[in-house]
Amino acid sequence: MPNDDKIKKVSIIISKGSLEGVYPGLILANGARMKGIEANIFFTFFGLDAITKKKMNKIKVATVGNPAMGIPSLIGVMPGMSALASGMMKKQMEQLDIPPIPEFIEMIYDAGGKLYACLASVEMFKLKKEDFCNQVEDVLTVGDFYELSAGGQIIFT
Amino acid sequence: MEKIIAGYTVDVTEEGYLTQMNQWNKEIAEAIAKELGIHELTEGHWKVIEFLRKDFAETEKVPTTRRIKNVGNIPTKDLYDLFPDGPVLKAAKIAGISKPVSCV
């Protein structure tokens, strides 16, 4: 395959704060690094939970408004349902050697992936740089994000 | 298909991964490493290669980056420094084991 056909750089946007909203972006970013592709992740809106120290360990599956779960939303709202579904999914992922979110973030960082928080969302949620895990490189404007994404693919998740 | 690497005839896939890990030796590893742009295999490289071979022999699977870190005690950062641009892909090829197929 000629070299020009290869993807050299990706910028991935993670905008959701549920387990199924966060993992695809992390897997894409880590997978890019495993292939020698430059990877940036931009966390925006509830996606910020994945890099917020107090929340990154508590991310759950959405059991309500998620038709793919195969359970009626009325059952999904019951106390403990989201925790139960999250526990089951985490167990499954552990078997595939997919790490919990904090470990995954650390691995991506150690692999040379760069993590950024979206300024507009940071201001909206009244967060500070100290609220984020140490692996977060910087808080960026949308303009900064486009600049650092130049020459690569942008993926929204 | 057959290929001659470092003077030894070995069976490889189209992408150049050895299909029989017992045909491997250190000279072959060094020759593949050079082809991949790694000119010298240091102690750090050998630690990764030995873990990959041992784990592959035991589990019949190429370990994930996470397993290399947690079971092989090789920090992810070191792995990427030693084998830049696709560490597990490169290390597995040098170690004479299958191409990794995992997404993580």
Side-chain angles (χ1 to χ4, degrees), chain A residues 27 30 33-36 94 96-100 103-104 107 110-111, chain B residues 64-67 69-70 76-77 80 85-89 102-104:
Chain A
I27 292 172
N30 184 60
R33 291 304 304 137
M34 283 166 63
K35 266 293 224 183
E94 185 65 44
L96 294 172
D97 222 11
I98 301 175
E103 187 187 344
F104 213 176
M107 277 177 63
D110 286 346
Chain B
T64 60
T65 317
R66 186 188 187 207
R67 193 171 161 84
K69 166 170 76 81
N70 293 349
T76 303
K77 201 183 169 305
Y80 276 83
D85 299 329
V88 190
L89 287 162
S102 162
C103 282
V104 288

Side-chain angles (χ1 to χ4, degrees), chain A residues 62-75:
Chain A
T63 47
V64 175
N66 183 357
M69 279 301 293
I71 55 167
S73 281
L74 265 175
I75 292 176

Side-chain angles (χ1 to χ4, degrees), chain A residues 13-87:
Chain A
I13 303 166
I14 296 180
S15 63
K16 297 183 192 79
S18 57
L19 205 66
E20 75 278 19
V22 171
Y23 268 106
L26 297 183
I27 292 172
L28 282 167
N30 184 60
R33 291 304 304 137
M34 283 166 63
K35 266 293 224 183
I37 298 167
E38 190 183 333
N40 301 307
I41 317 181
F42 190 64
F43 295 88
T44 184
F45 271 74
F46 294 108
L48 284 177
D49 284 4
I51 48 169
T52 305
K53 276 186 228 159
K54 279 186 187 155
K55 294 187 169 170
M56 60 196 298
N57 235 326
K58 298 174 187 155
I59 289 176
K60 291 194 172 62
V61 180
T63 47
V64 175
N66 183 357
M69 279 301 293
I71 55 167
S73 281
L74 265 175
I75 292 176
V77 297
M78 286 166 69
M81 275 312 285
S82 181
L84 180 73
S86 306

Side-chain angles (χ1 to χ4, degrees), chain B residues 21-73:
Chain B
M21 70 182 294
N22 56 14
Q23 289 182 339
W24 176 93
N25 63 41
K26 291 195 168 183
E27 288 164 69
I28 292 174
E30 276 160 2
I32 299 174
K34 278 204 180 74
E35 257 179 59
L36 294 175
I38 297 167
H39 296 291
E40 202 199 331
L41 292 176
T42 62
E43 207 178 305
H45 292 102
W46 288 114
K47 192 180 168 204
V48 177
I49 293 165
E50 276 156 23
F51 174 70
L52 288 185
R53 288 186 60 82
K54 180 177 164 279
D55 203 57
F56 186 78
E58 284 168 13
T59 65
E60 294 176 8
K61 269 194 278 185
V62 181
T64 60
T65 317
R66 186 188 187 207
R67 193 171 161 84
I68 296 171
K69 166 170 76 81
N70 293 349
V71 182
N73 288 317

